[in-house]
Amino acid sequence: MPLNRRTFLGTSAAAGAGVAMAGGAAVPAEAHGRGNGRPPKRYSFTVMGTTDLHGNVFNWDYFTDKEFDDKAHNDVGLAKISTLVEQVRAEKGRHNTLMIDAGDTIQGTQLSYYYAKIDPITAKRGPVHPMAQAMNAIGYDAAALGNHEFNYGIPVLRKFEEQCDFPLLGANALDAKTLQPAFAPYVIKRIRTPHGPDVKVAILGLTNPGIAIWDKVNVSGKMVFPGLEEQAAKFVPRLRSMGADVVIVSAHSGTSGTSSYGDQVPYVENAAALVAEQVPGIDAILVGHAHLEIPEYFVENKETGKQVVLSEPLKWGQRLTLFDFDLVWEKGRWVVERAGSQVLNSNTVAEDPKITGLLADEHKKVVAYVNQVIGTSTAAMTTAEAAWKDEPIIDLINVVQAETVKAALAGGAYASLPVLSQASCFSRTAQIPAGDVTIKDAAGLYPFENTLEARLLTGAQIKDYLEFSARYYVQTAAGAPVDTAKLTNADNTPDYNYDAVSGLTYDIDIAKPNGSRIVNLSFEGKAIDPAAQFVLAVNNYRASGGGNFPHVPAAKQLWANSEEIRNTIIAWVQAKGSVDGSQFASVDWRLTRDGVPVF
């Protein structure tokens, strides 16, 4: 993969040349500082930030084909964010603001999927990506790369980068051969002040080392992703030496200091707070990746004792972060006197008609696409209770995956081995209705662009895998009341990191501690043989180490497919014509306490 220097050389400015301006009229220079009995010169400006937009432009849920809503009545989308941004600019003065993002932009909705796969932006005379159109119209100054930027492959990402009027930043996304930045590491923006000297604001972009695992098929041999702390320590002093008065990091990395990939990569996944703590010279960090809301969070730098402000706006455009900086002119330079942050809720404003009008045609095309009928279902199925019960709708994923792998291995050396399959409850609101089944129904059931693999495991390894998965449940003593609202997501384990495995039977005893919960593990009615070999139909995220499940990443790969599992489900329904749960649904697992079923 040749190094792309266009953005780096065009907008970043290694020797101070090419530094971008953020509007405003210059005022003749005058005496500054505290000399001659004059009060010190002061200036304030605001940096707005979004993250984890995941393809949301409209306040619309393409999986339900209606306006987005949740229990908290949040709204989503860049059209709402645009209204907030314009309000802030009107209040502060446009020339006193900057606008940045912390990544995960081009994956997540059927709108973004459509323009990556159905009418791809990479086609000759292809369309401009809706997210590029919306972000250009809003006037972003920079965006960090997220891990999901790589889901559709580097060519799609490069085309998106080309279509953006702002740089995509990734100081720790390096060309695998040269180990030089493959994207612009930073951009420096000049903000004019009423006092003469400009404020130089450096924005450093950092992305997630987990890309090396999660999108291995797309980046292996092309790019490498060292740790955030390592690259921040390299670039922040450089930015200060170039005259940056304010250094802001846009980091697609949470604050917890944890990783979901264990020791498979020697870097921390959620390292934003560590960056603030370990690297001197940073004023603020826009946090992404974790899908949490953090209005304002201060971390003390160990070397300087300085407080660094961090903020993470809630995903999908539900919140807009505002970093407010108060500067004072001291000893011939601007110094940050105070920095704080807050978040604004996008449900308080209407959508900006400038954005909805700009992308009305694209929205209509995608709505028509997701409403295409692909078959019928004899009964309604839902994921409402799939996080704690073996439900037919999850069995649907597993039967499609198992049948696909069996067909792929037919006639080969492993054709006689039993095929198991793993699946997660990605969304608790997914449903297959009775009657017509559409693309949006299948997409809602499987919202990620995962592909399918077959890995070879032993019975003992399968048991380890299930024990790891069962950590998802909160330990609940026999006889104690069971509240499903508090039963799952132990230690903040997300739903997508709990796997149900089909093709065998087992109980999960939630009264027992982690590591000893899987009981009555059987295959074809007999206790599983620890030495027996099984084929596991598994998504590429899990096979690559996502979630840090044991054994699978190191297991022998028997087969892999480039087709998305979602499309495989769609094709299966189209081929069958009708989905009949009675033909494939079975209760393979259940929750128990001391042998007594919980439900």
Side-chain angles (χ1 to χ4, degrees):
M1 184 71 195
L3 181 64
N4 183 333
R5 308 290 285 175
R6 177 187 64 81
T7 308
F8 180 52
L9 295 179
T11 63
S12 284
V19 177
M21 282 290 205
V27 173
E30 53 185 285
H32 306 292
R34 294 190 169 98
N36 303 319
R38 297 179 182 177
K41 303 300 181 185
R42 286 189 161 84
Y43 174 72
S44 298
F45 72 99
T46 297
V47 177
M48 297 173 282
T50 53
T51 191
D52 296 277
L53 293 168
H54 284 288
N56 285 280
V57 173
F58 296 84
N59 186 39
W60 195 259
D61 185 344
Y62 293 97
F63 299 135
T64 60
D65 196 27
K66 60 185 179 182
E67 185 174 310
F68 177 88
D69 196 22
D70 63 12
K71 291 179 180 178
H73 300 298
N74 288 302
D75 287 345
V76 300
L78 277 171
K80 292 267 185 173
I81 290 295
S82 182
T83 301
L84 289 175
V85 167
E86 290 307 311
Q87 288 182 355
V88 173
R89 286 171 174 162
E91 177 189 349
K92 309 277 188 179
R94 186 185 183 99
H95 57 283
N96 297 320
T97 67
L98 295 172
M99 182 72 191
I100 64 175
D101 183 81
D104 275 5
T105 304
I106 60 171
Q107 177 278 337
T109 65
Q110 286 297 286
L111 179 69
S112 54
Y113 177 82
Y114 188 88
Y115 288 99
K117 291 287 191 176
I118 307 303
D119 185 10
I121 60 174
T122 49
K124 190 175 181 179
R125 297 191 183 94
V128 177
H129 199 288
M131 294 301 287
Q133 292 191 58
M135 294 173 83
N136 289 342
I138 290 170
Y140 274 77
D141 293 288
L145 294 164
N147 53 283
H148 282 288
E149 259 65 84
F150 293 84
N151 285 175
Y152 297 118
I154 292 173
V156 169
L157 175 53
R158 287 298 189 194
K159 188 64 178 181
F160 175 69
E161 178 190 25
E162 180 185 311
Q163 293 176 341
C164 291
D165 294 340
F166 51 90
L168 300 184
L169 307 178
N172 62 328
L174 309 183
D175 181 276
K177 293 180 180 178
T178 67
L179 298 183
Q180 295 299 307
F183 294 84
Y186 59 84
V187 66
I188 296 178
K189 309 291 289 188
R190 281 185 182 268
I191 302 179
R192 293 179 179 175
T193 76
H195 306 300
D198 298 334
V199 176
K200 289 184 179 180
V201 182
I203 304 161
L204 177 68
L206 297 169
T207 191
N208 206 290
I211 295 166
I213 292 175
W214 305 320
D215 269 299
K216 181 178 180 180
V217 68
N218 290 326
V219 301
S220 182
K222 299 174 183 177
M223 293 185 191
V224 294
F225 303 88
L228 284 84
E229 308 100 302
E230 170 190 324
Q231 292 302 100
K234 175 180 177 180
F235 279 99
V236 171
R238 182 183 302 181
L239 294 170
R240 289 294 184 182
S241 71
M242 291 168 62
D245 301 300
V246 182
V247 174
I248 300 168
V249 175
S250 184
H252 193 74
S253 182
T255 62
S256 66
T258 60
S259 291
S260 67
Y261 42 69
D263 58 2
Q264 297 173 71
V265 173
Y267 310 113
V268 177
E269 175 183 348
N270 295 299
L274 295 175
V275 171
E277 183 182 82
Q278 297 176 14
V279 181
I282 297 169
D283 295 294
I285 300 180
L286 178 65
V287 177
H289 183 61
H291 290 199
L292 299 175
E293 181 176 344
I294 304 175
E296 183 178 61
Y297 174 48
F298 288 96
V299 174
E300 182 177 302
N301 183 266
K302 283 186 173 180
E303 182 174 327
T304 66
K306 177 182 175 181
Q307 295 290 316
V308 182
V309 63
L310 286 72
S311 180
E312 181 175 7
L314 199 58
K315 65 186 185 297
W316 306 345
Q318 294 179 48
R319 303 289 186 274
L320 175 70
T321 279
L322 304 186
F323 288 109
D324 291 310
F325 298 93
D326 295 333
L327 278 58
V328 62
W329 182 261
E330 287 184 348
K331 299 178 181 178
R333 58 164 294 183
W334 288 109
V335 176
V336 175
E337 193 171 46
R338 190 199 73 85
S341 63
Q342 60 178 307
V343 295
L344 304 182
N345 194 329
S346 67
N347 73 4
T348 62
V349 296
E351 291 183 311
D352 186 343
K354 175 182 71 176
I355 304 300
T356 56
L358 178 68
L359 293 164
D361 289 344
E362 287 84 347
H363 177 66
K364 289 176 183 175
K365 285 181 183 179
V366 175
V367 168
Y369 164 73
V370 300
N371 280 289
Q372 293 179 41
V373 175
I374 57 174
T376 61
S377 177
T378 59
M381 295 182 284
T382 175
T383 57
E385 296 186 326
W388 53 86
K389 290 182 181 178
D390 187 347
E391 293 283 19
I393 196 167
I394 303 299
D395 292 336
L396 173 61
I397 299 174
N398 276 326
V399 73
V400 172
Q401 292 182 163
E403 287 187 5
T404 302
V405 167
K406 286 176 184 176
L409 298 181
Y414 301 95
S416 62
L417 292 181
V419 176
L420 313 178
S421 177
Q422 62 78 224
S424 302
C425 175
F426 295 118
S427 166
R428 299 195 188 189
T429 59
Q431 57 184 334
I432 301 294
D436 288 346
V437 178
T438 63
I439 286 176
K440 74 172 184 285
D441 299 323
L445 177 59
Y446 212 109
F448 295 104
E449 282 73 42
N450 295 338
T451 57
L452 189 60
E453 297 190 17
R455 298 286 179 123
L456 184 65
L457 278 81
T458 65
Q461 290 174 327
I462 290 292
K463 186 175 188 298
D464 288 346
Y465 187 99
L466 292 171
E467 288 285 9
F468 185 89
S469 185
R471 302 184 314 161
Y472 172 73
Y473 294 105
V474 174
Q475 187 172 4
T476 310
V482 175
D483 180 356
T484 56
K486 300 176 181 178
L487 177 63
T488 62
N489 308 100
D491 296 323
N492 295 315
T493 301
D495 290 346
Y496 61 77
N497 275 342
Y498 169 67
D499 287 355
V501 175
S502 71
L504 36 70
T505 58
Y506 58 98
D507 293 342
I508 303 172
D509 192 329
I510 60 173
K512 297 183 183 298
N514 289 335
S516 59
R517 291 182 167 181
I518 303 301
V519 294
N520 301 323
L521 179 59
S522 302
F523 175 70
E524 294 185 341
K526 298 179 181 178
I528 198 167
D529 180 354
Q533 289 188 317
F534 296 89
V535 177
L536 180 66
V538 59
N539 69 56
N540 68 303
Y541 173 79
R542 192 70 79 235
S544 298
N548 199 29
F549 277 62
H551 305 306
V552 175
K556 182 180 179 63
Q557 184 190 76
L558 307 181
W559 173 83
N561 188 12
S562 61
E563 185 64 73
E564 295 158 13
I565 293 169
R566 173 170 55 206
N567 288 342
T568 303
I569 295 171
I570 290 170
W572 187 89
V573 174
Q574 287 174 322
K576 295 286 186 182
S578 177
V579 177
D580 184 353
S582 67
Q583 300 296 311
F584 57 79
S586 62
V587 178
D588 297 326
W589 63 273
R590 62 180 183 172
L591 300 186
T592 62
R593 290 183 295 183
D594 294 344
V596 179
V598 176
F599 302 105

